[in-house]
């Protein structure tokens, strides 16, 4: 827990340095791109189990993310317990029924057509793990007084990016899921009022007959997602 006495500046020599040739750097950059290109959002899971250690180490990686004032305003709840997964699925599907029955509006439903989604979320009970990511709107010093967190969505979203990357690197598939609202997750998972659920991530191995939407293979060309001034 943080103490008000920790609010002091101290400089340490940079603990790690990478010495790479330009050529090596480019090799690493390309290899990483090739690896990331193989990541897909997967909606069809096998029930094959995944060890808690793997999930924990991926969460450790997510916890290294940069954050506003280094407040690390995130909490990851990892769930493999079947009853909890069933409760989450039931409530998430109820939200999704409303979404697909008209809450979303026609334009949004049309945009989702190539993705092939609907209100059924079987992956929420079939995937061996769900990780629910909570954003902490405020924190508490060890004397019980509150402190503000800064750039909370930015910080949490960076950590989620690292989490998805770590899980992919560990050979697992993921699906990000954001039923709206997600308030129900606080009560199911006993999280305090200071926290807001931002995402449910299903994690596991793909089903033997898993597919991805053809549309998911299309990525915007690099020239269109970047501008260089040099
Ligand atoms: N949350 C809904 C709808 C949905 C929205 C977007 I934007 C997607 O890229 C995919 C789904 C669902 O999970 O079905």
């Amino acid at each position: 827990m943080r103490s008000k006495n920790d609010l002091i500046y101290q400089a340490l020599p940079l603990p790690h340095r990478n010495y790479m040739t330009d050529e090596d750097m480019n090799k690493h950059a390309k290899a990483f791109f090739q690896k990331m290109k193989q990541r897909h959002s997967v909606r069809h899971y096998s029930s094959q189990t995944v060890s808690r250690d793997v999930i924990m180490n991926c969460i450790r990686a997510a916890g290294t993310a940069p954050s506003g004032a280094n407040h690390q305003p995130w909490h990851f709840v990892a769930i493999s317990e079947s009853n909890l997964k069933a409760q989450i699925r039931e409530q998430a599907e109820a939200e999704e029924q409303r979404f697909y029955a008209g809450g979303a509006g026609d334009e949004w439903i049309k945009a989702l057509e190539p993705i092939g989604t609907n209100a059924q979320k079987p992956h929420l009970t079939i995937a061996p793990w769900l990780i629910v990511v909570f954003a902490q709107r405020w924190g508490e010093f060890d004397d019980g007084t509150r402190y503000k967190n800064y750039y909370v969505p930015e910080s949490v979203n960076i950590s989620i990016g690292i989490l998805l990357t770590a899980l992919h690197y560990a050979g697992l598939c993921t699906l990000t899921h954001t039923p709206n609202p997600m308030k129900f997750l606080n009560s199911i998972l006993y999280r305090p009022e200071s926290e807001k659920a931002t995402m449910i991530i299903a994690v596991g191995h793909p089903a033997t007959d898993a597919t991805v939407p053809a549309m998911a293979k299309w990525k915007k060309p690099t020239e269109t997602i970047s501008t260089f001034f040099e």
Side-chain angles (χ1 to χ4, degrees):
M1 208 177 252
R2 298 178 73 233
S3 155
K4 281 180 182 159
N5 300 328
D6 298 335
L7 297 174
I8 44 158
Y9 176 69
Q10 192 196 357
L12 297 177
L14 179 66
H16 303 286
R17 279 172 199 269
N18 279 317
Y19 295 101
M20 267 193 233
T21 61
D22 283 2
E23 195 190 339
D24 253 10
M25 244 185 256
N26 206 20
K27 250 191 224 155
H28 277 78
K30 276 189 178 161
F32 189 68
F33 164 61
Q34 290 304 332
K35 180 77 197 166
M36 293 313 291
K37 228 171 71 162
Q38 294 167 358
R39 189 206 59 81
H40 294 102
S41 290
V42 167
R43 293 176 176 80
H44 317 110
Y45 287 87
S46 99
S47 52
Q48 189 186 337
T49 57
V50 169
S51 91
R52 178 191 202 276
D53 279 356
V54 173
I55 301 297
M56 204 185 62
N57 280 314
C58 292
I59 292 175
R60 286 170 93 187
T64 66
S67 63
N70 192 31
H71 283 193
Q72 305 163 48
W74 44 63
H75 189 86
F76 302 91
V77 180
I79 305 142
S80 65
E81 207 272 317
S82 317
N83 279 323
L84 274 180
K85 288 196 294 180
Q87 279 185 60
I88 292 173
R89 177 175 173 187
E90 194 184 319
Q91 302 232 35
E93 285 183 338
E95 295 297 349
E96 296 296 2
Q97 302 283 2
R98 283 187 277 277
F99 177 90
Y100 284 95
D106 292 346
E107 188 178 346
W108 198 344
I109 296 296
K110 188 85 196 139
L112 290 178
E113 229 164 72
I115 313 286
T117 54
N118 58 40
Q120 302 309 308
K121 304 294 171 195
H123 51 267
L124 293 177
T125 46
I126 299 172
W129 288 95
L130 301 179
I131 302 176
V132 181
V133 186
F134 286 87
Q136 298 178 326
R137 288 180 282 214
W138 67 84
E140 254 178 37
F141 285 114
D142 49 11
D143 66 2
T145 55
R146 280 186 190 184
Y147 59 81
K148 276 170 71 172
N149 284 333
Y150 307 96
Y151 299 105
V152 173
E154 291 85 348
S155 306
V156 174
N157 290 337
I158 296 170
S159 80
I160 290 175
I162 295 177
L163 179 61
L164 297 177
T165 306
L167 290 162
H168 172 61
Y169 195 64
L172 292 167
C173 291
T174 55
L175 181 68
T176 52
H177 181 55
T178 51
N180 184 23
M182 286 198 274
K183 185 90 190 117
F184 68 87
L185 290 163
N186 282 71
S187 35
I188 295 182
L189 302 173
Y190 306 104
R191 296 312 302 166
E193 200 211 335
S194 54
E195 295 184 2
K196 187 179 188 307
T198 68
M199 201 169 279
I200 306 173
I201 304 168
V203 183
H205 294 281
T208 343
D209 57 355
T211 60
V212 294
M215 197 259 207
K217 287 308 298 171
W218 176 77
K219 296 290 176 196
K220 289 184 178 177
T222 315
E223 311 79 72
T224 70
I225 63 162
S226 57
T227 303
F228 285 73
F229 293 100
E230 46 198 325

